Amino acid sequence: LFTRQMPGDRFREQTDPVLQLEKINVNFDGFQALTDLSLNISVGELRCIIGPNGAGKTTLMDVITGKTRPQSGRAIYDQSTDLTTLDPIAIARQGIGRKFQKPTVFEALTVEENLELALKNDKSVWGALRARLSGEQRDRIDEVLALLRLGNERARRAGLLSHGQKQFLEIGMLLVQEPHLLLLDEPAAGMTDAET
Ligand SMILES: Nc1ncnc2c1ncn2[C@@H]1O[C@H](COP(=O)(O)OP(=O)(O)OP(=O)(O)O)[C@@H](O)[C@H]1O
Ligand SMILES: [Mg+2]
């Protein structure tokens, strides 16, 4: 696994770490998927992790989000919490958002409804759709729709979007929640060059 610093990463040296992975080891029934993986990510930093199929990229995200528990090592978030001691729901509540490789939007709902649900994800689907949004939340949805160029699609059913637009929408569902740390697994998979 290699990590790459991206251009424009100018705050890297000045900011505190948001995530510190220390000697993470993951073993699946004798198969060593991650070996002594250490990695620091700073506030405001964009980091890309590249590696061939099976290198352990998804496993790394599974460790950070609590889906996989490492055999050893620590994942210190915001210099205080060890994520390896928490379950996935508690980790999501700490402001860590994750986009999976395959888009998982609600296809029968409109683009806008998907974003509304993401903002009110502590309620049941129908309860959340009935709950009123604050003006601030409305503004946030408008902002994200403009950012992802989905403004003209807001009333469209998500199932009718192109694959790339579904990926954008799923990223939008994370952005409206204003995550502190955002993990994207293969965000450009299946996208056109322009969409990427
Ligand atoms: N739950 C599991 N049980 C057993 N082996 C697993 C499990 N999850 C992942 N692996 C193995 O661990 C290795 C790393 O897999 P992982 O999915 O993290 O790779 P990746 O870098 O995300 O690959 P890709 O580019 O194909 O998405 C692979 O050899 C995979 O088969
Ligand atoms: Mg993967």
Side-chain angles (χ1 to χ4, degrees), residues 127-158:
L129 282 176
R130 274 195 303 271
R132 303 276 303 279
L133 288 176
S134 69
E136 208 175 300
Q137 288 175 316
R138 282 257 146 253
D139 291 348
R140 183 73 191 139
I141 287 180
D142 289 343
E143 243 173 64
V144 167
L145 282 170
L147 178 72
L148 300 175
R149 302 191 187 115
L150 286 173
N152 293 333
E153 321 289 339
R154 67 192 301 155
R156 220 164 167 226
R157 279 223 231 156

Side-chain angles (χ1 to χ4, degrees), residues 103 150 161-170 187 189-192 195:
L150 286 173
L161 298 176
S162 70
H163 171 77
Q165 287 175 320
K166 283 182 194 169
Q167 298 243 60
F168 286 158
L169 176 56
E170 195 176 359
M191 298 262 216
T192 64
E195 287 170 336

